[in-house]
Amino acid sequence: EDGDFLALDLGGTNFRVLRVKVSDNGLQKVEMENQIYAIPEELMRGSGVQLFDHIAECLANFMDKLKIKDKKLPLGFTFSFPCHQTKLDESILLTWTKGFKCSGVEGKDVVSMLRKSIKKRGDFDIDVVAVVNDTVGTMMTCGYDDHNCEVGLIIGTGTNACYMEEMRHIDLVEGDEGRMCINMEWGAFGDDGVLNDIRTEFDREIDMGSLNPGKQLFEKMISGMYMGELVRLILVKMAKEGFLFGGKLTPDLLTTGHFETRYVSAIEKEKEGLQKAHEILTKLGLEPSHEDCVATYRICQIVSTRSANLCGATLAAVLRRIKENKGVDRLRSTVGVDGSVYKKHPHFARRLHKTVRKLLPDCDIRFVRSEDGSGKGAAMVTAVAYRLAAQHKARQKILEALKLSHEQLLEVKQRMRIEMEKGLGKETHAEARVKMLPTYVCSTPDGTEKGDFLALDLGGTNFRVLLVRVRNGMRRGVEMHNKIYSIPMEIMQGTGEELFDHIVHCISDFLEYMGMKGVSLPLGFTFSFPCQQTNLDEGILLKWTKGFKATGCEGEDVVNLLKEAIHRREEFDLDVVALVNDTVGTMMTCGYEDPYCEVGLIVGTGSNACYMEEMRNVELVDGEEGRMCVNMEWGAFGDNGCLDDIRTEFDLAVDELSLNPGSQRFEKMISGMYLGEIVRNILIDFTKRGLLFRGRISERLKTTGIFETKFLSQIESDCLALLQVRSILQHLGLESTCDDSIIVKEVCTVVARRAAQLCGAGMAAVVDKIRENRGLDFLKVTVGVDGTLYKLHPHFSTIMRETVKQLSPKCEVTFLQSEDGSGKGAALITAVACRIREAGQR
């Protein structure tokens, strides 16, 4: 940390304004200037507005004196009263203590009140960055010099403590890693009656006569505001009963507050104590004997010792908790202490230390006095907060490029529409990137289909072989049997012959498994790669995607390649009726359940969409009547540069390192194969800039593909605690804090949200085109969806649906999740094709 900071320290009748300069040039140094201002008694009991106006005036005077009124400096505000903090710069006053009774402040944010008073003046401006309790400020002040300091303690006019608690134990704040400072507000210990057995009649009398009866009972037993009054009440009782001053009482001795706590400190001094007792008692109008002075000395000693012992006992409970949290055999820790009682009473500190040592024999506790007060600590908290705020701002600036506005999404929708028209047009098709490929699927199931069909579903490293039994009539339904087979990497990137021989080998295994080796069945082939179809059972592979690189396939008819492999095996024969894209298969699967389903969408490893287009618009195929399903191949949207204005440096990095640079740019922004990689690139960038993981990049994080997309789904899961986010990061060799985990979660959220919105913008273009094709004011349509990202990510589907609703308000779009995958759809297309073929033959 370094910079110029202001601090405001308010905790009693006097308050301090400080200027703290922190310089970091290898050896950190702190310089301070400060001034003390008084708060008149009428302001302590007046209105809150008057109090904060007075503070703002004192702040202005201080800045005038230092000639810094023209600077907008960050300010840390030490406010030493019980508050509920909701943020570092927001603190709601729960109750006034220490004699304050200003109206209109309890239940209000004290930072807002200070800001209003400053703004009302208009002659200077400051940035209130942090509000801290004086106990926290003390811990931070002492912690600057002693890094073991993890407890702050104040014993002065009032008393309080704070300590570093494990985040996993703080239910009020999200997060499981690291620690957070807890302001205990221990002055209210006993307000529930738990200390009634040790409270005396004098404690009860003090409480009844206080400004806040029934509250801060522990504070009233140990702090400087009440210690002298306790002694006075005991002296009065003893005098009344004839044990002191010959039974004589004076008006001064009977007046509340006339025996001050500083008298207790003076009377307990080793050499001059009895003389001081004589002077003080005489000042109160008494004629004390030597025995009276000795008795008064003893009463002061008993009251201050009880205070030190009670304070030591509660502090020991705090330190014991820290020891148990850490799970160590012997705790070594430091307590930062401030307050007039601790500093000025001749024996208080020694008695307190002795009690703590007695109760914690297995701990080595060091006590460090705060010489600079809590104001320096507030400035240090502000310096840290200012650094963190600057880092947060830098991260947000980087992430801003991934956050798309409504206008940008409308523009994406419009550009998708333009690219769709290009793909459909005969003259523009060759140059179009969104290919809008005819599928020759012109009908959806009508319920009369029946028979047994085979389906082959190939779209990634695993593929399925299915037997699909379609029944009609009263028993209408689909029964499926399937088996999953893997494709080894060497076959994915070997020759086409090896790939199709492997597929046929798996079909053979499945037929044997089903006991149907000799039966010739119609087969539907789901092939989830860009193909130019010239017929329902004919498709030329345009290019491999998703990591496939098998040679001798691009530019070839994949149905033919499959038939040749079947013939090479010479074991069985199959009637390959239909070649189907997985998107089309998904649409057909859902279309069997919902007649409104006219769109298919896949958002998994890759992404694509299809829909029922009017034949008159499909210029590559002859005919004007009816509709045909068009396989959009929308993953290539943007390959012509039309999305360059929203692509970020991270998208460019992912594209450059992919197997197909420059291709499938839209897919690389929205699909499961790439989202984890986008996140990884952002995390590396943040870390290099020192905005994450303390600037330390692990070797594992440098590995391409190591941040899997499934991590996004896990990290964003609402029920997943940040502790599990940390375990994912540890798996990647990263030592993370709670803040790091929150940042990683935010990056995942931003990347996944953009993907869902882009997907929604594309889908909005599709449904609006269907509506306009049909000249409708309002369209009701269903989209059949499949894919791991859509199904497994906790928020993707919701964000995508919301985006479609916003961008296409004249369409009522229902999303129907495909449970059976696109294999069932391929079988249904085959069933429809067989039905139509049989009708034609008849």
Side-chain angles (χ1 to χ4, degrees):
E1 290 75 30
D2 72 336
D4 204 350
F5 304 93
L6 286 172
L8 189 58
D9 192 353
L10 174 65
T13 51
N14 293 326
F15 74 98
R16 281 202 307 164
V17 183
L18 305 92
R19 181 191 190 179
V20 182
K21 282 187 176 179
V22 185
S23 54
D24 180 19
N25 47 5
L27 187 68
Q28 240 186 13
K29 198 169 78 171
V30 178
E31 297 170 43
M32 290 201 311
E33 299 164 87
N34 72 88
Q35 181 139 352
I36 295 171
Y37 296 91
I39 298 179
E41 195 160 323
E42 63 271 17
L43 280 184
M44 288 172 64
R45 289 171 173 77
S47 78
V49 172
Q50 290 170 325
L51 172 68
F52 283 99
D53 284 351
H54 175 68
I55 293 166
E57 188 181 343
C58 296
L59 194 52
N61 292 340
F62 181 75
M63 293 175 81
D64 253 339
K65 184 182 159 192
L66 295 182
K67 297 183 171 56
I68 55 171
K69 243 183 175 179
D70 57 328
K71 295 183 179 179
K72 186 176 180 178
L73 295 178
L75 178 135
F77 183 16
T78 304
F79 188 74
S80 311
F81 301 91
C83 286
H84 173 60
Q85 271 194 258
T86 46
K87 290 189 287 193
L88 190 58
D89 64 344
E90 190 174 279
S91 198
I92 313 297
L93 176 64
L94 298 176
T95 177
W96 280 118
T97 55
K98 306 173 194 172
F100 278 73
K101 268 289 174 185
C102 296
S103 62
V105 186
E106 290 180 356
K108 300 279 178 64
D109 172 25
V110 293
V111 175
S112 290
M113 295 193 78
L114 176 62
R115 283 175 177 152
K116 277 178 190 167
S117 291
I118 291 166
K119 192 174 180 182
K120 199 194 305 178
R121 291 183 61 85
D123 57 339
F124 69 95
D125 193 14
I126 55 170
D127 184 8
V128 185
V129 172
V131 59
V132 296
N133 184 277
D134 55 348
T135 329
V136 180
T138 297
M139 184 187 77
M140 290 295 281
T141 299
C142 298
Y144 185 75
D145 299 311
D146 183 335
H147 291 236
N148 284 325
C149 186
E150 50 193 340
V151 182
L153 174 63
I154 303 276
I155 316 144
T157 310
T159 182
N160 193 14
C162 69
Y163 73 102
M164 297 303 291
E165 177 59 88
E166 303 297 312
M167 281 291 288
R168 66 180 183 271
H169 296 148
I170 309 170
D171 290 344
L172 296 178
V173 180
E174 186 188 11
D176 294 281
E177 306 99 36
R179 302 195 298 169
M180 182 183 280
C181 183
I182 293 290
N183 165 23
M184 293 180 66
E185 288 300 338
W186 80 2
F189 177 37
D191 288 6
D192 58 352
V194 74
L195 295 179
N196 284 354
D197 56 335
I198 61 166
R199 288 177 73 227
T200 65
E201 61 183 283
F202 309 110
D203 297 309
R204 285 190 281 276
E205 195 172 337
I206 275 185
D207 180 42
M208 291 300 291
S210 69
L211 287 167
N212 53 352
K215 294 180 178 178
Q216 302 294 107
L217 297 185
F218 185 61
E219 184 170 82
K220 287 168 184 170
M221 294 169 82
I222 66 172
S223 78
M225 190 166 184
Y226 305 98
M227 199 183 285
E229 186 62 10
L230 272 170
V231 171
R232 186 189 72 80
L233 290 172
I234 296 167
L235 292 177
V236 167
K237 174 149 185 167
M238 288 195 167
K240 279 180 179 176
E241 295 192 5
F243 299 133
L244 286 177
F245 317 128
K248 183 187 170 189
L249 290 164
T250 65
D252 273 331
L253 186 63
L254 289 168
T255 304
T256 302
H258 272 211
F259 198 100
E260 298 174 41
T261 295
R262 64 191 173 97
Y263 296 166
V264 179
S265 299
I267 289 167
E268 281 196 72
K269 284 181 179 168
E270 290 291 347
K271 292 176 181 172
E272 64 217 65
L274 290 177
Q275 186 191 331
K276 283 286 178 190
H278 193 275
E279 286 173 16
I280 289 161
L281 293 171
T282 303
K283 189 179 168 188
L284 293 170
L286 298 160
E287 296 172 6
S289 65
H290 177 72
E291 287 76 14
D292 289 336
C293 292
V294 171
T296 302
Y297 166 81
R298 184 75 184 115
I299 290 163
C300 288
Q301 189 184 48
I302 287 168
V303 168
S304 66
T305 300
R306 182 185 76 153
S307 173
N309 286 344
L310 284 172
C311 200
T314 43
L315 182 60
V318 173
L319 291 162
R320 173 69 63 199
R321 180 171 179 87
I322 292 172
K323 180 178 182 291
E324 287 168 1
N325 282 345
K326 290 184 176 181
V328 292
D329 293 332
R330 192 166 190 86
L331 176 70
R332 286 177 176 79
S333 190
T334 299
V335 180
V337 200
D338 204 351
S340 53
V341 173
Y342 184 87
K343 286 180 170 179
K344 292 179 178 175
H345 191 282
H347 308 296
F348 190 95
R350 179 179 53 79
R351 290 171 187 156
L352 170 69
H353 302 168
K354 186 179 175 183
T355 303
V356 171
R357 278 195 292 272
K358 193 174 179 180
L359 295 174
L360 296 173
D362 52 354
C363 297
D364 298 318
I365 307 301
R366 181 173 180 241
F367 290 84
V368 175
R369 269 172 55 153
S370 167
E371 300 305 334
D372 301 312
S374 52
K376 176 183 170 183
M380 296 312 298
V381 172
T382 304
V384 172
Y386 213 63
R387 168 174 60 78
L388 294 175
Q391 290 178 340
H392 176 73
K393 196 174 176 183
R395 285 191 298 269
Q396 291 309 309
K397 192 176 177 185
I398 294 164
L399 291 178
E400 204 57 44
L402 290 121
K403 294 176 181 176
L404 301 175
S405 66
H406 181 71
E407 289 68 33
Q408 284 175 306
L409 291 169
L410 275 173
E411 187 61 33
V412 170
K413 173 190 168 184
Q414 191 55 38
R415 291 175 196 175
M416 176 67 88
R417 180 65 180 270
I418 291 166
E419 296 303 307
M420 288 168 74
E421 301 291 358
K422 281 185 190 173
L424 288 168
K426 202 167 191 174
E427 290 180 14
T428 50
H429 178 81
E431 67 189 49
R433 302 303 174 141
V434 179
K435 282 298 181 185
M436 307 297 284
L437 304 169
T439 65
Y440 295 85
V441 172
C442 300
S443 300
T444 51
D446 67 0
T448 64
E449 295 80 13
K450 63 176 181 177
D452 289 355
F453 306 92
L454 270 181
L456 186 60
D457 192 352
L458 174 66
T461 50
N462 292 326
F463 77 101
R464 289 198 303 166
V465 185
L466 306 93
L467 173 68
V468 181
R469 293 196 160 117
V470 184
R471 299 285 174 262
N472 64 3
M474 294 290 288
R475 293 169 57 237
R476 182 177 183 267
V478 177
E479 180 191 323
M480 291 201 310
H481 304 272
N482 72 88
K483 214 172 171 187
I484 295 171
Y485 297 90
S486 65
I487 301 178
M489 184 62 75
E490 62 270 18
I491 288 179
M492 280 171 67
Q493 298 183 4
T495 68
E497 272 196 12
E498 289 169 338
L499 173 63
F500 281 93
D501 283 348
H502 175 72
I503 291 166
V504 171
H505 167 74
C506 296
I507 294 172
S508 173
D509 175 79
F510 178 74
L511 289 171
E512 201 165 299
Y513 166 73
M514 293 300 297
M516 301 181 73
K517 202 69 175 275
V519 183
S520 179
L521 294 174
L523 180 135
F525 185 10
T526 301
F527 187 72
S528 311
F529 301 91
C531 284
Q532 179 81 57
Q533 278 191 257
T534 47
N535 216 317
L536 185 61
D537 62 350
E538 197 176 301
I540 311 299
L541 175 63
L542 298 178
K543 59 180 175 181
W544 282 119
T545 55
K546 307 174 196 173
F548 277 73
K549 279 284 180 185
T551 59
C553 297
E554 290 181 355
E556 298 293 328
D557 174 15
V558 292
V559 173
N560 211 33
L561 293 174
L562 178 63
K563 284 176 176 174
E564 285 173 3
I566 292 169
H567 292 148
R568 274 198 299 275
R569 195 166 181 93
E570 294 181 342
E571 270 186 30
F572 53 84
D573 196 23
L574 295 171
D575 177 15
V576 184
V577 173
L579 179 70
V580 184
N581 182 276
D582 57 347
T583 327
V584 183
T586 298
M587 182 188 77
M588 291 297 276
T589 300
C590 296
Y592 190 73
E593 311 295 333
D594 182 344
Y596 284 103
C597 186
E598 299 186 72
V599 185
L601 172 66
I602 303 281
V603 201
T605 310
S607 181
N608 193 15
C610 69
Y611 71 102
M612 296 303 289
E613 178 60 88
E614 306 302 309
M615 277 295 289
R616 66 177 184 273
N617 296 331
V618 186
E619 293 184 11
L620 296 182
V621 180
D622 293 336
E624 296 283 314
E625 297 300 314
R627 294 173 189 145
M628 180 183 282
C629 183
V630 169
N631 165 22
M632 293 178 66
E633 288 299 337
W634 80 0
F637 177 41
D639 287 5
N640 60 355
C642 71
L643 294 178
D644 284 1
D645 57 333
I646 63 165
R647 289 175 78 224
T648 65
E649 59 186 289
F650 310 110
D651 297 307
L652 299 176
V654 168
D655 183 33
E656 281 168 23
L657 289 172
S658 67
L659 286 168
N660 53 349
S663 297
Q664 301 295 104
R665 291 181 181 179
F666 188 58
E667 183 171 79
K668 285 169 185 169
M669 294 168 84
I670 65 173
S671 77
M673 191 166 183
Y674 304 99
L675 294 192
E677 192 58 12
I678 295 171
V679 169
R680 187 185 72 86
N681 277 278
I682 296 170
L683 299 185
I684 286 175
D685 183 70
F686 278 6
T687 311
K688 281 180 179 174
R689 294 171 189 258
L691 305 175
L692 189 62
F693 306 134
R694 299 180 193 84
R696 295 199 269 286
I697 301 176
S698 71
E699 285 305 311
R700 279 178 71 74
L701 190 62
K702 290 177 187 173
T703 310
T704 303
I706 198 76
F707 199 100
E708 299 172 50
T709 295
K710 69 173 181 180
F711 293 162
L712 271 82
S713 298
Q714 290 168 359
I715 285 169
E716 279 205 75
S717 175
D718 291 329
C719 59
L720 188 72
L722 287 175
L723 185 62
Q724 286 162 283
V725 178
R726 192 182 191 186
S727 73
I728 289 170
L729 297 176
Q730 281 172 342
H731 164 72
L732 299 172
L734 297 160
E735 285 184 28
S736 67
T737 63
C738 176
D739 285 342
D740 288 334
S741 296
I742 290 168
I743 292 161
V744 170
K745 189 172 184 178
E746 185 185 8
V747 172
C748 291
T749 300
V750 168
V751 169
R753 182 175 183 80
R754 183 187 70 155
Q757 287 178 323
L758 285 171
C759 200
M763 190 45 60
V766 172
V767 295
D768 259 357
K769 177 151 178 41
I770 295 172
R771 182 181 62 79
E772 288 170 25
N773 281 347
R774 299 174 192 178
L776 299 171
D777 291 329
F778 190 80
L779 172 72
K780 184 177 178 182
V781 68
T782 297
V783 179
V785 201
D786 204 351
T788 49
L789 187 60
Y790 183 90
K791 286 180 172 179
L792 301 179
H793 191 280
H795 309 301
F796 189 97
S797 60
T798 306
I799 295 164
M800 191 188 83
R801 287 197 300 269
E802 284 171 1
T803 306
V804 174
K805 196 173 182 181
Q806 287 164 8
L807 301 182
S808 297
K810 293 181 178 179
C811 299
E812 183 189 317
V813 185
T814 303
F815 289 86
L816 181 60
Q817 198 166 293
S818 166
E819 300 304 332
D820 302 311
S822 50
K824 175 181 170 183
L828 286 167
I829 289 169
T830 305
V832 172
C834 288
R835 166 172 62 79
I836 292 167
R837 187 167 64 184
E838 283 166 20
Q841 285 166 355
R842 281 201 299 276

